[in-house]
Amino acid sequence: MKQNRIFAFLTALALGAALTGCGNTSASNVSSSTDGKKIIKIAYLPITHALPVFEAAEELKASDDALQVELVKYGSWPELLDALNTGRVDGASVLIELAMKSRQEGIGIKAVALGHKDGNVIVTNDSVQNAEDLKGKTFAIPHRQSSHNILLNDALAQAGLTVDDVNVTELSPPEMPSALASGQIDGYCVAEPFGAKAVTLNAGHVLYSSEELWPDSLCCGLVLTDDFIENRSEDASYFVQSYKEAGKNLTPAKAKEIALEYLQQDDAVLDLSLKWIRYDDLEITADTYQVLFDKVKEYGLSDNPPTYEEFVKNDF
Ligand code: ZN
């Protein structure tokens, strides 16, 4: 229960910081580079889950398109969320539960596509060989508002357990592989490639893949600000279509090339990580969103998440 209070505090802190600057700034004014191109600013974290954003940016750049993507890198979800919620960027590739929470708090954003399909694993050390073994163990997630938290709940439910049976802690993604290797934690679930990293280092093994626990799971989403969608509707539509096309173009070879360029991780880590993920269909359907909506409520991430109609824009 103590852990839940810490979660609530951190969430309130992140949202409070985000709300402070709401409405003061706007990224919707078309910022032009010297050659007169239109720019869309997209925030991201360097993870395997954000590859379609990188690929879309590369494709638009290579084709010398009138619309260019300015990628804005962040080191943590709270920092990225602060930029998104205060309008310093036009959109972001972000954990969908964090975006739902922002929308619930009144921030004007819409989810317009998925970041990926599948692509999460629960990694544990040798002391955890099945869901029952999680009882009493220390388990890390990146944020309470995440599909990683939902997947932990799903795994525990397999053994009739809940998060009250586990010591849940929040760590930043890059810290998790070494925390597992040192015995500080017994397992974790987080955006890739940090699950693959522990496996590659022989610090842990895959207890569950996301598809085993939650078929067609949602995790990251591409979100755009309402400001951008309303004031630059043609650019928004063009970008979302380019983004979904970029996802289809991410063949294994192409995905590897882009991942090497943007993620600065070893070959072996990326090869394993990319086996677990796909990008070919990035539509957010009402059915798959409803499953997420129900899990968010069931596992206590939020009592009042936004509905599909309130939060998802699927008609570009
Ligand atoms: Zn994700």
Side-chain angles (χ1 to χ4, degrees), residues 186-209:
D186 300 298
Y188 64 86
C189 184
V190 72
E192 280 299 305
F194 299 104
K197 192 155 189 175
V199 175
T200 309
L201 290 168
N202 288 321
H205 62 274
V206 175
L207 186 68
Y208 290 107
S209 67

Side-chain angles (χ1 to χ4, degrees), residues 12-13 74 77 81 88-89 109 121 125 147 156 185 200 249 255 274 296 303:
L13 198 67
Y74 288 92
W77 292 121
L81 219 62
R88 294 205 303 277
V89 292
I109 52 173
V121 292
N125 61 24
S147 292
L156 291 166
I185 57 174
T200 309
N249 294 339
L274 291 169
V296 161
D303 293 333

Side-chain angles (χ1 to χ4, degrees), residues 47 49 95 116 118 120 148 191 219-220:
I47 52 178
H49 295 190
L95 297 177
H116 57 93
D118 303 333
N120 282 302
H148 310 104
C219 173
C220 297

Side-chain angles (χ1 to χ4, degrees), residues 115-182:
H116 57 93
K117 285 273 184 78
D118 303 333
N120 282 302
V121 292
I122 287 182
V123 180
T124 58
N125 61 24
D126 286 346
S127 76
V128 183
Q129 297 294 335
N130 53 51
E132 293 80 20
D133 292 342
L134 286 166
K135 190 175 172 103
K137 296 290 172 27
T138 300
F139 193 94
I141 55 174
H143 199 288
R144 185 175 183 229
Q145 299 298 333
S146 69
S147 292
H148 310 104
N149 186 19
I150 293 175
L151 288 163
L152 169 62
N153 276 271
D154 281 340
L156 291 166
Q158 304 261 324
L161 301 172
T162 73
V163 283
D164 290 337
D165 297 305
V166 185
N167 177 26
V168 182
T169 185
E170 284 183 349
L171 285 179
S172 75
E175 289 180 276
M176 293 192 195
S178 55
L180 186 68
S182 71

